[in-house]
Amino acid sequence: EVQLVESGGGLVQSGGSLRLSCAASGFSFRSYWMTWVRQAPGKGLEWVANINQDVSVKSYVDSVKGRFTISRDNAKNSLYLQMNSLRAEDTAVYYCARVGYNNYEVDYWGQGTLVTVSS
Amino acid sequence: QSVLTQPPSVSGAPGQRVTISCTGSSSNLGAAFDVHWYQQLPGTAPKLLIYGNSNRPSGVPDRFSGSKSGTSASLAITGLQAEDEADYYCQSYDIRLSGLVFGGGTKLTVL
């Protein structure tokens, strides 16, 4: 069974930093693109960042470029999101998710971790 | 402003059929990238409902179907049930943004 379990969320002051982690199990982690998607309270889904299997490709939504860094450790079956210079508008539930083989579909999602940035 | 455009809400009575539209552009749906659909029940993570325009993952009832043509796509739900009340999102890949793009979401109300 595919499982994605996020951790590391919490309350942080504006300008602060936080590192999210995602532990993957039940599949060959090193074989898949992975992604972070966030959802602000009462709002829709927003893609945050992608990373490919061998870390040679990383992409970010414009609003987090230069502040967030996506990374992975295939030996530990783990995905990370380092978030610096946090702003109030970064407040959201952050989902770790797997990108499927077909055509960039997100086929498995974690339960999400809440990040709250206080101003 | 989402890259993919969906109606904010749709509604229907039990047993009826509803459709949810998703409109993109030449850098995503029009660039031959597939559209995918997700169902998000209140307080839960999204769940893949339709992938590759019209394919259902195992376990998704055949009451749900999807289609795509050019820069537009749609999700159809037939035989509406109370349990279908949820938020629905379309998603694709955008070549200009080099990332995933989502619609703003559509809230389905079963009357």
Side-chain angles (χ1 to χ4, degrees), chain A:
Chain A
E1 179 193 5
V2 172
Q3 286 199 339
L4 298 167
V5 180
E6 302 95 336
S7 60
L11 177 63
V12 62
Q13 286 193 332
S14 180
S17 298
L18 217 51
R19 188 193 195 209
L20 305 183
S21 299
C22 171
S25 61
F27 67 102
S28 177
F29 179 75
R30 65 180 64 246
S31 298
Y32 287 85
W33 281 66
M34 296 296 294
T35 190
W36 288 97
V37 176
R38 67 184 178 184
Q39 186 170 35
K43 302 297 184 182
L45 302 172
E46 180 185 36
W47 167 72
V48 175
N50 277 345
I51 187 168
N52 74 338
Q53 294 92 329
D54 64 4
V55 197
S56 60
V57 177
K58 300 180 184 181
S59 301
Y60 302 89
V61 67
D62 282 349
S63 59
V64 308
K65 282 180 182 175
R67 299 189 300 123
F68 290 12
T69 302
I70 189 171
S71 62
R72 65 190 294 164
D73 185 334
N74 288 337
K76 294 183 178 179
N77 290 339
S78 293
L79 178 71
Y80 306 100
L81 187 67
Q82 177 67 43
M83 304 185 296
N84 299 329
S85 303
L86 282 162
R87 306 166 180 167
E89 54 265 35
D90 295 319
T91 293
V93 172
Y94 284 74
Y95 294 103
C96 160
R98 189 181 88 170
V99 180
Y101 277 145
N102 289 283
N103 198 281
Y104 298 100
E105 77 280 12
V106 181
D107 59 358
Y108 286 94
W109 300 68
Q111 85 288 350
T113 187
L114 177 62
V115 172
T116 304
V117 184
S118 65
S119 52

